[in-house]
Amino acid sequence: MPVLLARHVGQRCLWTRLSPSLSMRHVVPMGTAAKEEMAQFCDKNTQSNRPMSPHITIYKWSLPMLMSIAHRGTGVAMSAGVSLFGLAALILPEQFPYYLAFVKSLSLGPALIYSAKFALAFPLTYHTWNGIRHLMWDMGKGFKIPQVYQSGVLVLVLTLLSSAGLAAM
């Protein structure tokens, strides 16, 4: 009996949460006054030629800003690269050694191979070193403006050195 009661109550709660009439009950349409006020605001900004804020043309580009954007970009690029590599491993008919042998048979020059290895190593090393920099910030260290720039330059130098070292392997 308690099991049936619990099942009935659970189904009733689930049905109540999924019911469209109850979920729409909390939606309040925007009043005409609010619509008119938003239209007036947009018209005023359009007529005065104000840019949307924050707008990219307002800010002076700085090293921390560029490094933040690059950190996000390398994270997305590596995630996409690993996903595509995994998808290719699932879809392509041959095993990895076949494709490795194919690349070796192309007889690419050492400069091109080094450049390709550097291009693969750069996002990984940059994201790693900049991630360590962020961990230092999480510990409350290096927040003064000169330290932010110094740590940024250090990250870039370490990235170039470690990418070059990895590409040389």
Side-chain angles (χ1 to χ4, degrees):
M1 183 69 173
V3 173
L4 292 175
L5 181 61
R7 182 182 298 165
H8 176 71
V9 169
Q11 288 174 346
R12 184 80 175 144
C13 289
L14 182 62
W15 180 80
T16 311
R17 286 190 180 191
L18 297 178
S19 172
S21 63
L22 291 175
S23 64
M24 294 300 289
R25 168 174 75 184
H26 299 292
V27 176
V28 178
M30 184 184 275
T32 339
K35 286 182 186 175
E36 291 171 359
E37 191 173 333
M38 284 184 64
Q40 289 173 355
F41 178 77
C42 289
D43 291 340
K44 184 175 85 173
N45 282 341
T46 304
Q47 291 170 356
S48 63
N49 290 326
R50 291 182 184 162
M52 293 176 62
S53 182
H55 198 267
I56 204 147
T57 59
I58 294 173
Y59 298 110
K60 179 183 171 203
W61 286 85
S62 64
L63 182 64
M65 181 191 292
L66 292 172
M67 291 185 72
S68 175
I69 293 168
H71 187 76
R72 293 164 196 229
T74 55
V76 169
M78 287 189 303
S79 178
V82 168
S83 298
L84 290 175
F85 185 80
L87 186 63
L90 290 172
I91 292 175
L92 293 175
E94 296 293 331
Q95 298 293 320
F96 181 72
Y98 171 81
Y99 297 106
L100 187 60
F102 173 73
V103 171
K104 286 182 179 179
S105 72
L106 293 176
S107 300
L108 302 172
L112 185 60
I113 290 174
Y114 180 83
S115 299
K117 288 164 74 175
F118 185 86
L120 288 173
F122 185 84
L124 175 68
T125 57
Y126 175 78
H127 200 79
T128 301
W129 290 119
N130 205 37
I132 293 170
R133 178 181 181 217
H134 277 268
L135 289 175
M136 295 303 291
W137 286 348
D138 290 342
M139 291 188 291
K141 300 188 186 310
F143 278 123
K144 294 180 182 168
I145 298 300
Q147 293 172 335
V148 170
Y149 280 90
Q150 289 168 354
S151 65
V153 170
L154 179 65
V155 164
L156 293 176
V157 168
L158 290 172
T159 297
L160 290 173
L161 292 175
S162 55
S163 296
L166 286 172
M169 295 175 93

mmCIF file of all heavy atoms in Angstrom, residues 18-48:
data_model
loop_
_atom_site.group_PDB
_atom_site.id
_atom_site.type_symbol
_atom_site.label_atom_id
_atom_site.label_comp_id
_atom_site.label_asym_id
_atom_site.label_seq_id
_atom_site.Cartn_x
_atom_site.Cartn_y
_atom_site.Cartn_z
ATOM 1 N N LEU A 18 5.207 18.920 -15.453
ATOM 2 C CA LEU A 18 5.296 18.895 -16.902
ATOM 3 C C LEU A 18 4.066 19.453 -17.587
ATOM 4 O O LEU A 18 4.032 19.565 -18.795
ATOM 5 C CB LEU A 18 5.540 17.453 -17.376
ATOM 6 C CG LEU A 18 6.843 16.829 -16.909
ATOM 7 C CD1 LEU A 18 6.942 15.402 -17.395
ATOM 8 C CD2 LEU A 18 8.031 17.641 -17.369
ATOM 9 N N SER A 19 3.050 19.805 -16.840
ATOM 10 C CA SER A 19 1.816 20.317 -17.407
ATOM 11 C C SER A 19 2.055 21.681 -18.034
ATOM 12 O O SER A 19 2.572 22.589 -17.389
ATOM 13 C CB SER A 19 0.760 20.427 -16.315
ATOM 14 O OG SER A 19 -0.381 21.083 -16.817
ATOM 15 N N PRO A 20 1.699 21.849 -19.319
ATOM 16 C CA PRO A 20 1.950 23.141 -19.972
ATOM 17 C C PRO A 20 1.146 24.283 -19.367
ATOM 18 O O PRO A 20 1.597 25.407 -19.343
ATOM 19 C CB PRO A 20 1.560 22.913 -21.428
ATOM 20 C CG PRO A 20 0.855 21.615 -21.484
ATOM 21 C CD PRO A 20 1.135 20.869 -20.211
ATOM 22 N N SER A 21 -0.038 23.991 -18.875
ATOM 23 C CA SER A 21 -0.853 25.074 -18.319
ATOM 24 C C SER A 21 -0.201 25.670 -17.071
ATOM 25 O O SER A 21 -0.268 26.868 -16.835
ATOM 26 C CB SER A 21 -2.259 24.562 -17.996
ATOM 27 O OG SER A 21 -2.176 23.551 -16.998
ATOM 28 N N LEU A 22 0.456 24.825 -16.281
ATOM 29 C CA LEU A 22 1.086 25.336 -15.069
ATOM 30 C C LEU A 22 2.386 26.064 -15.373
ATOM 31 O O LEU A 22 2.740 27.014 -14.693
ATOM 32 C CB LEU A 22 1.341 24.193 -14.087
ATOM 33 C CG LEU A 22 0.065 23.592 -13.478
ATOM 34 C CD1 LEU A 22 0.427 22.393 -12.632
ATOM 35 C CD2 LEU A 22 -0.661 24.621 -12.654
ATOM 36 N N SER A 23 3.098 25.608 -16.402
ATOM 37 C CA SER A 23 4.358 26.281 -16.712
ATOM 38 C C SER A 23 4.114 27.640 -17.361
ATOM 39 O O SER A 23 4.913 28.535 -17.243
ATOM 40 C CB SER A 23 5.237 25.408 -17.600
ATOM 41 O OG SER A 23 4.590 25.207 -18.839
ATOM 42 N N MET A 24 3.008 27.820 -18.052
ATOM 43 C CA MET A 24 2.697 29.088 -18.698
ATOM 44 C C MET A 24 2.050 30.073 -17.714
ATOM 45 O O MET A 24 1.910 31.240 -18.016
ATOM 46 C CB MET A 24 1.738 28.865 -19.886
ATOM 47 C CG MET A 24 2.359 28.059 -21.016
ATOM 48 S SD MET A 24 3.820 28.847 -21.700
ATOM 49 C CE MET A 24 3.080 30.200 -22.551
ATOM 50 N N ARG A 25 1.670 29.594 -16.569
ATOM 51 C CA ARG A 25 0.975 30.417 -15.600
ATOM 52 C C ARG A 25 1.864 31.568 -15.116
ATOM 53 O O ARG A 25 1.386 32.639 -14.795
ATOM 54 C CB ARG A 25 0.544 29.528 -14.439
ATOM 55 C CG ARG A 25 0.066 30.261 -13.235
ATOM 56 C CD ARG A 25 -0.462 29.306 -12.213
ATOM 57 N NE ARG A 25 0.656 28.631 -11.558
ATOM 58 C CZ ARG A 25 0.508 27.673 -10.666
ATOM 59 N NH1 ARG A 25 -0.687 27.225 -10.376
ATOM 60 N NH2 ARG A 25 1.555 27.134 -10.089
ATOM 61 N N HIS A 26 3.178 31.367 -15.085
ATOM 62 C CA HIS A 26 4.092 32.368 -14.543
ATOM 63 C C HIS A 26 4.591 33.357 -15.596
ATOM 64 O O HIS A 26 5.324 34.268 -15.263
ATOM 65 C CB HIS A 26 5.285 31.676 -13.877
ATOM 66 C CG HIS A 26 4.884 30.792 -12.741
ATOM 67 N ND1 HIS A 26 4.380 31.286 -11.567
ATOM 68 C CD2 HIS A 26 4.885 29.446 -12.618
ATOM 69 C CE1 HIS A 26 4.100 30.283 -10.754
ATOM 70 N NE2 HIS A 26 4.391 29.155 -11.369
ATOM 71 N N VAL A 27 4.207 33.173 -16.852
ATOM 72 C CA VAL A 27 4.662 34.063 -17.912
ATOM 73 C C VAL A 27 3.796 35.319 -17.903
ATOM 74 O O VAL A 27 2.581 35.248 -17.954
ATOM 75 C CB VAL A 27 4.574 33.364 -19.290
ATOM 76 C CG1 VAL A 27 4.943 34.327 -20.403
ATOM 77 C CG2 VAL A 27 5.475 32.161 -19.312
ATOM 78 N N VAL A 28 4.466 36.446 -17.840
ATOM 79 C CA VAL A 28 3.752 37.720 -17.832
ATOM 80 C C VAL A 28 4.120 38.454 -19.113
ATOM 81 O O VAL A 28 5.304 38.692 -19.378
ATOM 82 C CB VAL A 28 4.156 38.568 -16.594
ATOM 83 C CG1 VAL A 28 3.460 39.908 -16.624
ATOM 84 C CG2 VAL A 28 3.866 37.809 -15.323
ATOM 85 N N PRO A 29 3.121 38.805 -19.935
ATOM 86 C CA PRO A 29 3.451 39.519 -21.178
ATOM 87 C C PRO A 29 3.988 40.918 -20.865
ATOM 88 O O PRO A 29 3.640 41.516 -19.851
ATOM 89 C CB PRO A 29 2.108 39.596 -21.912
ATOM 90 C CG PRO A 29 1.076 39.409 -20.858
ATOM 91 C CD PRO A 29 1.711 38.582 -19.774
ATOM 92 N N MET A 30 4.857 41.391 -21.754
ATOM 93 C CA MET A 30 5.438 42.710 -21.557
ATOM 94 C C MET A 30 4.354 43.760 -21.781
ATOM 95 O O MET A 30 3.632 43.706 -22.773
ATOM 96 C CB MET A 30 6.599 42.917 -22.533
ATOM 97 C CG MET A 30 7.326 44.217 -22.333
ATOM 98 S SD MET A 30 8.601 44.476 -23.552
ATOM 99 C CE MET A 30 9.942 43.593 -22.815
ATOM 100 N N GLY A 31 4.253 44.673 -20.879
ATOM 101 C CA GLY A 31 3.239 45.714 -20.986
ATOM 102 C C GLY A 31 3.539 46.674 -22.111
ATOM 103 O O GLY A 31 4.669 46.801 -22.573
ATOM 104 N N THR A 32 2.514 47.348 -22.570
ATOM 105 C CA THR A 32 2.685 48.292 -23.666
ATOM 106 C C THR A 32 3.620 49.419 -23.278
ATOM 107 O O THR A 32 4.420 49.873 -24.077
ATOM 108 C CB THR A 32 1.333 48.903 -24.073
ATOM 109 O OG1 THR A 32 0.284 48.068 -23.629
ATOM 110 C CG2 THR A 32 1.236 49.064 -25.544
ATOM 111 N N ALA A 33 3.553 49.842 -22.037
ATOM 112 C CA ALA A 33 4.413 50.932 -21.593
ATOM 113 C C ALA A 33 5.881 50.521 -21.662
ATOM 114 O O ALA A 33 6.740 51.307 -22.071
ATOM 115 C CB ALA A 33 4.049 51.345 -20.171
ATOM 116 N N ALA A 34 6.194 49.289 -21.293
ATOM 117 C CA ALA A 34 7.575 48.808 -21.348
ATOM 118 C C ALA A 34 8.059 48.710 -22.788
ATOM 119 O O ALA A 34 9.201 49.052 -23.098
ATOM 120 C CB ALA A 34 7.688 47.456 -20.648
ATOM 121 N N LYS A 35 7.183 48.243 -23.679
ATOM 122 C CA LYS A 35 7.557 48.156 -25.095
ATOM 123 C C LYS A 35 7.849 49.541 -25.663
ATOM 124 O O LYS A 35 8.822 49.744 -26.377
ATOM 125 C CB LYS A 35 6.435 47.500 -25.903
ATOM 126 C CG LYS A 35 6.307 46.020 -25.719
ATOM 127 C CD LYS A 35 5.198 45.487 -26.600
ATOM 128 C CE LYS A 35 4.966 44.020 -26.326
ATOM 129 N NZ LYS A 35 3.823 43.504 -27.092
ATOM 130 N N GLU A 36 6.988 50.493 -25.328
ATOM 131 C CA GLU A 36 7.188 51.861 -25.812
ATOM 132 C C GLU A 36 8.469 52.460 -25.246
ATOM 133 O O GLU A 36 9.208 53.153 -25.957
ATOM 134 C CB GLU A 36 5.990 52.727 -25.431
ATOM 135 C CG GLU A 36 4.722 52.376 -26.178
ATOM 136 C CD GLU A 36 3.507 53.094 -25.624
ATOM 137 O OE1 GLU A 36 3.642 53.859 -24.644
ATOM 138 O OE2 GLU A 36 2.413 52.871 -26.177
ATOM 139 N N GLU A 37 8.748 52.197 -23.984
ATOM 140 C CA GLU A 37 9.957 52.731 -23.355
ATOM 141 C C GLU A 37 11.209 52.145 -24.010
ATOM 142 O O GLU A 37 12.176 52.870 -24.272
ATOM 143 C CB GLU A 37 9.940 52.418 -21.863
ATOM 144 C CG GLU A 37 11.013 53.155 -21.094
ATOM 145 C CD GLU A 37 10.878 52.970 -19.593
ATOM 146 O OE1 GLU A 37 9.756 52.743 -19.114
ATOM 147 O OE2 GLU A 37 11.923 53.059 -18.921
ATOM 148 N N MET A 38 11.195 50.839 -24.295
ATOM 149 C CA MET A 38 12.341 50.225 -24.969
ATOM 150 C C MET A 38 12.518 50.788 -26.371
ATOM 151 O O MET A 38 13.641 51.045 -26.816
ATOM 152 C CB MET A 38 12.181 48.700 -25.029
ATOM 153 C CG MET A 38 12.462 48.016 -23.721
ATOM 154 S SD MET A 38 12.371 46.224 -23.843
ATOM 155 C CE MET A 38 13.695 45.876 -24.957
ATOM 156 N N ALA A 39 11.411 51.003 -27.079
ATOM 157 C CA ALA A 39 11.487 51.568 -28.427
ATOM 158 C C ALA A 39 12.067 52.984 -28.383
ATOM 159 O O ALA A 39 12.907 53.347 -29.211
ATOM 160 C CB ALA A 39 10.110 51.569 -29.073
ATOM 161 N N GLN A 40 11.624 53.798 -27.412
ATOM 162 C CA GLN A 40 12.165 55.145 -27.266
ATOM 163 C C GLN A 40 13.652 55.120 -26.958
ATOM 164 O O GLN A 40 14.436 55.906 -27.498
ATOM 165 C CB GLN A 40 11.419 55.895 -26.162
ATOM 166 C CG GLN A 40 10.007 56.272 -26.516
ATOM 167 C CD GLN A 40 9.261 56.858 -25.333
ATOM 168 O OE1 GLN A 40 9.764 56.896 -24.214
ATOM 169 N NE2 GLN A 40 8.025 57.317 -25.576
ATOM 170 N N PHE A 41 14.077 54.193 -26.093
ATOM 171 C CA PHE A 41 15.493 54.075 -25.734
ATOM 172 C C PHE A 41 16.321 53.717 -26.958
ATOM 173 O O PHE A 41 17.369 54.320 -27.219
ATOM 174 C CB PHE A 41 15.647 53.015 -24.638
ATOM 175 C CG PHE A 41 17.057 52.770 -24.219
ATOM 176 C CD1 PHE A 41 17.716 53.660 -23.384
ATOM 177 C CD2 PHE A 41 17.748 51.641 -24.659
ATOM 178 C CE1 PHE A 41 19.029 53.443 -22.996
ATOM 179 C CE2 PHE A 41 19.052 51.418 -24.284
ATOM 180 C CZ PHE A 41 19.693 52.325 -23.444
ATOM 181 N N CYS A 42 15.863 52.739 -27.731
ATOM 182 C CA CYS A 42 16.597 52.324 -28.936
ATOM 183 C C CYS A 42 16.650 53.443 -29.959
ATOM 184 O O CYS A 42 17.678 53.663 -30.601
ATOM 185 C CB CYS A 42 15.958 51.070 -29.530
ATOM 186 S SG CYS A 42 16.222 49.608 -28.537
ATOM 187 N N ASP A 43 15.533 54.154 -30.134
ATOM 188 C CA ASP A 43 15.512 55.271 -31.079
ATOM 189 C C ASP A 43 16.486 56.369 -30.666
ATOM 190 O O ASP A 43 17.205 56.928 -31.499
ATOM 191 C CB ASP A 43 14.096 55.854 -31.194
ATOM 192 C CG ASP A 43 13.132 54.905 -31.894
ATOM 193 O OD1 ASP A 43 13.617 53.997 -32.611
ATOM 194 O OD2 ASP A 43 11.915 55.065 -31.715
ATOM 195 N N LYS A 44 16.511 56.697 -29.376
ATOM 196 C CA LYS A 44 17.412 57.744 -28.883
ATOM 197 C C LYS A 44 18.870 57.357 -29.132
ATOM 198 O O LYS A 44 19.672 58.175 -29.581
ATOM 199 C CB LYS A 44 17.172 57.969 -27.391
ATOM 200 C CG LYS A 44 17.996 59.102 -26.797
ATOM 201 C CD LYS A 44 17.637 59.351 -25.350
ATOM 202 C CE LYS A 44 18.429 58.402 -24.494
ATOM 203 N NZ LYS A 44 18.313 58.611 -23.062
ATOM 204 N N ASN A 45 19.219 56.086 -28.869
ATOM 205 C CA ASN A 45 20.601 55.651 -29.093
ATOM 206 C C ASN A 45 20.946 55.611 -30.576
ATOM 207 O O ASN A 45 22.073 55.907 -30.963
ATOM 208 C CB ASN A 45 20.833 54.275 -28.468
ATOM 209 C CG ASN A 45 21.012 54.359 -26.976
ATOM 210 O OD1 ASN A 45 21.303 55.419 -26.437
ATOM 211 N ND2 ASN A 45 20.843 53.240 -26.304
ATOM 212 N N THR A 46 19.995 55.265 -31.411
ATOM 213 C CA THR A 46 20.239 55.239 -32.849
ATOM 214 C C THR A 46 20.448 56.650 -33.384
ATOM 215 O O THR A 46 21.353 56.892 -34.180
ATOM 216 C CB THR A 46 19.059 54.562 -33.572
ATOM 217 O OG1 THR A 46 18.878 53.261 -33.025
ATOM 218 C CG2 THR A 46 19.326 54.439 -35.058
ATOM 219 N N GLN A 47 19.618 57.579 -32.939
ATOM 220 C CA GLN A 47 19.727 58.958 -33.410
ATOM 221 C C GLN A 47 21.009 59.629 -32.942
ATOM 222 O O GLN A 47 21.564 60.466 -33.641
ATOM 223 C CB GLN A 47 18.521 59.771 -32.947
ATOM 224 C CG GLN A 47 17.238 59.361 -33.635
ATOM 225 C CD GLN A 47 16.012 59.995 -33.001
ATOM 226 O OE1 GLN A 47 16.106 60.695 -32.002
ATOM 227 N NE2 GLN A 47 14.840 59.737 -33.586
ATOM 228 N N SER A 48 21.496 59.283 -31.764
ATOM 229 C CA SER A 48 22.721 59.922 -31.252
ATOM 230 C C SER A 48 23.988 59.179 -31.692
ATOM 231 O O SER A 48 25.081 59.547 -31.297
ATOM 232 C CB SER A 48 22.665 60.007 -29.730
ATOM 233 O OG SER A 48 22.627 58.705 -29.180
#
